[in-house]
mmCIF file of all heavy atoms in Angstrom:
data_model
loop_
_atom_site.group_PDB
_atom_site.id
_atom_site.type_symbol
_atom_site.label_atom_id
_atom_site.label_comp_id
_atom_site.label_asym_id
_atom_site.label_seq_id
_atom_site.Cartn_x
_atom_site.Cartn_y
_atom_site.Cartn_z
ATOM 1 N N ARG A 116 96.567 121.044 148.229
ATOM 2 C CA ARG A 116 97.170 121.500 149.486
ATOM 3 C C ARG A 116 98.355 120.675 149.720
ATOM 4 O O ARG A 116 99.402 121.285 150.159
ATOM 5 C CB ARG A 116 96.088 121.279 150.593
ATOM 6 C CG ARG A 116 96.535 122.011 151.855
ATOM 7 C CD ARG A 116 95.523 121.849 153.012
ATOM 8 N NE ARG A 116 94.308 122.373 152.595
ATOM 9 C CZ ARG A 116 93.095 121.806 152.990
ATOM 10 N NH1 ARG A 116 93.082 120.935 153.827
ATOM 11 N NH2 ARG A 116 91.978 122.332 152.599
ATOM 12 N N ALA A 118 100.225 119.062 147.577
ATOM 13 C CA ALA A 118 101.248 119.327 146.548
ATOM 14 C C ALA A 118 102.016 120.685 146.829
ATOM 15 O O ALA A 118 103.208 120.704 146.673
ATOM 16 C CB ALA A 118 100.618 119.408 145.161
ATOM 17 N N HIS A 119 101.273 121.650 147.350
ATOM 18 C CA HIS A 119 101.868 122.953 147.565
ATOM 19 C C HIS A 119 102.468 123.090 149.042
ATOM 20 O O HIS A 119 103.160 123.985 149.385
ATOM 21 C CB HIS A 119 100.887 123.991 147.331
ATOM 22 C CG HIS A 119 100.614 124.173 145.849
ATOM 23 N ND1 HIS A 119 101.393 124.461 144.933
ATOM 24 C CD2 HIS A 119 99.382 123.868 145.278
ATOM 25 C CE1 HIS A 119 100.833 124.426 143.738
ATOM 26 N NE2 HIS A 119 99.575 124.135 143.936
ATOM 27 N N GLN A 120 102.129 122.113 149.847
ATOM 28 C CA GLN A 120 102.583 122.156 151.235
ATOM 29 C C GLN A 120 104.190 122.019 151.367
ATOM 30 O O GLN A 120 104.785 122.627 152.136
ATOM 31 C CB GLN A 120 101.931 121.027 152.046
ATOM 32 C CG GLN A 120 102.316 120.918 153.477
ATOM 33 C CD GLN A 120 101.717 119.825 154.241
ATOM 34 O OE1 GLN A 120 100.922 119.036 153.598
ATOM 35 N NE2 GLN A 120 101.911 119.614 155.472
ATOM 36 N N SER A 121 104.739 121.234 150.520
ATOM 37 C CA SER A 121 106.191 120.922 150.576
ATOM 38 C C SER A 121 106.915 122.280 150.090
ATOM 39 O O SER A 121 108.060 122.463 150.495
ATOM 40 C CB SER A 121 106.556 119.858 149.743
ATOM 41 O OG SER A 121 106.262 120.028 148.342
ATOM 42 N N HIS A 122 106.262 123.057 149.263
ATOM 43 C CA HIS A 122 106.916 124.336 148.802
ATOM 44 C C HIS A 122 106.915 125.406 149.782
ATOM 45 O O HIS A 122 107.780 126.337 149.766
ATOM 46 C CB HIS A 122 106.174 124.819 147.574
ATOM 47 C CG HIS A 122 106.252 123.820 146.346
ATOM 48 N ND1 HIS A 122 107.425 123.446 145.787
ATOM 49 C CD2 HIS A 122 105.298 123.134 145.751
ATOM 50 C CE1 HIS A 122 107.191 122.590 144.876
ATOM 51 N NE2 HIS A 122 105.877 122.388 144.829
ATOM 52 N N THR A 123 105.945 125.372 150.715
ATOM 53 C CA THR A 123 105.834 126.452 151.657
ATOM 54 C C THR A 123 106.417 126.184 153.021
ATOM 55 O O THR A 123 106.371 127.005 153.942
ATOM 56 C CB THR A 123 104.343 126.897 151.834
ATOM 57 O OG1 THR A 123 103.643 125.741 152.279
ATOM 58 C CG2 THR A 123 103.806 127.387 150.503
ATOM 59 N N THR A 124 106.906 124.964 153.186
ATOM 60 C CA THR A 124 107.530 124.532 154.508
ATOM 61 C C THR A 124 108.739 125.283 154.703
ATOM 62 O O THR A 124 109.714 125.330 153.846
ATOM 63 C CB THR A 124 107.723 123.067 154.492
ATOM 64 O OG1 THR A 124 106.808 122.379 153.759
ATOM 65 C CG2 THR A 124 107.652 122.541 156.051
ATOM 66 N N ARG A 125 109.020 125.745 155.921
ATOM 67 C CA ARG A 125 110.282 126.378 156.227
ATOM 68 C C ARG A 125 111.216 125.396 156.721
ATOM 69 O O ARG A 125 110.931 124.648 157.734
ATOM 70 C CB ARG A 125 110.043 127.543 157.292
ATOM 71 C CG ARG A 125 109.181 128.694 156.758
ATOM 72 C CD ARG A 125 109.131 129.726 157.882
ATOM 73 N NE ARG A 125 108.264 130.729 157.427
ATOM 74 C CZ ARG A 125 107.914 131.710 158.144
ATOM 75 N NH1 ARG A 125 108.375 131.924 159.364
ATOM 76 N NH2 ARG A 125 107.077 132.630 157.666
ATOM 77 N N ARG A 126 112.358 125.377 156.276
ATOM 78 C CA ARG A 126 113.412 124.453 156.672
ATOM 79 C C ARG A 126 114.697 125.198 156.673
ATOM 80 O O ARG A 126 115.034 125.997 155.866
ATOM 81 C CB ARG A 126 113.485 123.296 155.835
ATOM 82 C CG ARG A 126 112.200 122.518 155.814
ATOM 83 C CD ARG A 126 112.454 121.015 155.560
ATOM 84 N NE ARG A 126 111.195 120.278 155.759
ATOM 85 C CZ ARG A 126 110.610 119.535 154.904
ATOM 86 N NH1 ARG A 126 111.054 119.383 153.777
ATOM 87 N NH2 ARG A 126 109.469 118.957 155.242
#
Side-chain angles (χ1 to χ4, degrees):
R116 190 178 308 147
H119 294 294
Q120 180 179 2
S121 63
H122 298 298
T123 59
T124 327
R125 292 185 188 175
R126 298 210 169 122

